Structure formats: C-alpha cells, structure tokens
Amino acid sequence: MTPDHLYLSHDAIRDLDRLLREIPDLAADLTDAFACRTRLNGPTEYRLQPRSATQPLPYNPAASKAADHLHATLVSWTRLICEQRGLPYTAGATTPALARWLHRNLIAFAMTEGVESAPTDIAAAVAAATRIVCPPARERPINTDQIAQARRARLNASGIATLAKELGEKYQSLTVRRVQTLRDAGRIDPVPGPWSPDLPELFVVGEVLDAHLTHPTRRRVAA
C-alpha cells in the first residue's frame, strides 16, 4: 500500500483510467463483430458443416468468447470492490455499464485490497478483444506463377495501379499518375490499337513494372 492508502501506483491508475474509458466503444465493436457486421473484420472464417465451402456462421464465435471474457473480468473486479468497500452496485449489467461504474469509482478501486493485478488483468482482456475487432494486417504471399501471368496481361493505367497495390512495397507508388509519367517520359508505350476514342490505352503490365523500378521518381523539393 502506498502512503496515500492506495494499492495501485499512480501509473497503474492512469492505465486503468485509459482502459476503462476505452471499453464502452470496444464492447460496441465486439457486438458488431459477434454479428459479423464489423467493417474492421473481413468475412468470418468460421463455417458450418458440412457446407464449409459456402455457408458462414451467422455469428463470430471468437468475438463472443472475447466479449464474455471482458465482461467476466469486469464483473469479478466490480464484485471485489463492492464486497471490500461496502459499495452498492447501481449500474446496469452490461459491459459498458460495468466499465463506467469502475471508472466513476476509480479511487475506491485503487484503495481496495487485492487489486494489484487488476490493470494487467483488464489490459489482457482488452487486448484480446482488440485483436478481434482490429486484427493485425496479414502479409499476402506473392505467387510467382500469378506474377508471371500478370506481367503478360494488358491493362489500362487504373488496372495497373490497382494490381500494384497487391505486389509489395516497391510497387506501392505505382499509381495512375505514375503510369502516365512513364508514358510521357517514353519509358513505356501503349499496346498498338486500333483504339476507339473513348477507350483508355492499354499497356503490357510487365513493361510498366520494369520501367517503374528503373525510371527514377521525381522528388518534390521543399520551398
């Protein structure tokens, strides 16, 4: 216990303050993820059997598990505080209500014996929930056969710019404007027509990719 009768350090209290303020919005995101509505998640990977190739589950079990764990974590600490401090619980039974009550009673929280592990415990539950609603980006493996096939394709500048986003970091600056710059510099030529006046020019993808890497990018000079 600290001299001011706290079982948590001031740094730990600041961490709890931040975590508890984040939880209501995080709980809402988990609800969306549970119903497979979240924009941050891709389509759920969980499938029904035996139609595993086509029929997704109407909910995300991982989101449900994370939500239950977060809720149970807050319930356990709320119960401890109420029992140890003799406080009545006057909020609702939802995860956001629990988080807001704990936040309002943060000093009582810190003065409760046995709460030393609370910041770590709650942080772990929040981190698990965050991984569901905002999963880390996954690197896509580049298939060499697909790359070889793509290099032979004929696409317009917009199609090439879209493809470039899938080809790794060195092609991320290959935009529509960059394709036009390469054409104006004589580094690439459109595929011979005949063309309709309203159709965009087509280029061999491999020629554009090679020219992009060999033709220097003009850098803006600060005024």
Side-chain angles (χ1 to χ4, degrees):
M1 181 185 293
T2 64
D4 46 3
H5 307 288
L6 300 176
Y7 288 90
L8 296 174
S9 68
H10 292 288
D11 287 341
I13 293 173
R14 280 193 293 269
D15 289 341
L16 270 178
D17 174 77
R18 174 182 55 81
L19 288 167
L20 293 171
R21 284 188 286 105
E22 289 176 0
I23 286 174
D25 286 341
L26 179 60
D29 290 339
L30 275 176
T31 299
D32 284 343
F34 174 75
C36 301
R37 292 194 302 263
T38 178
R39 293 183 179 182
L40 297 175
N41 275 346
T44 178
E45 297 177 359
Y46 301 93
R47 303 283 183 177
L48 289 173
Q49 297 294 336
R51 298 174 60 193
S52 59
T54 58
Q55 182 64 53
L57 282 177
Y59 65 92
N60 184 333
S64 176
K65 182 177 180 180
D68 289 345
H69 177 56
L70 180 60
H71 183 79
T73 299
L74 298 186
V75 167
S76 66
W77 290 114
T78 300
R79 181 178 292 118
L80 178 66
I81 295 166
C82 289
E83 292 174 353
Q84 292 279 346
R85 307 296 300 174
L87 296 177
Y89 181 75
T90 56
T94 66
T95 298
L98 287 161
R100 293 187 181 104
W101 186 88
L102 287 170
H103 189 262
R104 287 195 303 270
N105 293 277
L106 192 54
I107 298 303
F109 196 160
M111 296 178 69
T112 302
E113 185 177 359
V115 298
E116 291 84 354
S117 63
T120 301
D121 191 26
I122 294 175
V126 167
T130 301
R131 285 193 294 271
I132 297 297
V133 301
C134 189
R138 297 180 181 179
E139 296 251 346
R140 292 186 178 182
I142 298 177
N143 186 305
T144 55
D145 291 336
Q146 290 178 331
I147 294 296
Q149 183 177 1
R151 288 180 60 86
R152 296 191 294 270
R154 300 178 177 189
L155 297 175
N156 60 32
S158 178
I160 292 172
T162 300
L163 174 65
K165 295 178 182 178
E166 307 293 327
L167 299 183
E169 183 177 353
K170 62 183 179 180
Y171 294 110
Q172 295 308 295
S173 59
L174 183 50
T175 61
V176 171
R177 179 174 294 185
R178 174 66 172 163
V179 173
Q180 187 60 47
T181 297
L182 294 172
R183 191 205 189 294
D184 294 344
R187 298 302 181 116
I188 57 173
D189 293 307
V191 177
W195 302 109
S196 171
D198 58 344
L199 291 178
E201 294 178 319
L202 300 181
F203 302 89
V204 177
V205 171
E207 294 177 3
V208 178
L209 297 180
D210 293 342
H212 172 66
L213 296 181
T214 57
H215 184 62
T217 303
R218 186 173 65 182
R219 298 184 182 276
R220 293 182 180 179
V221 178

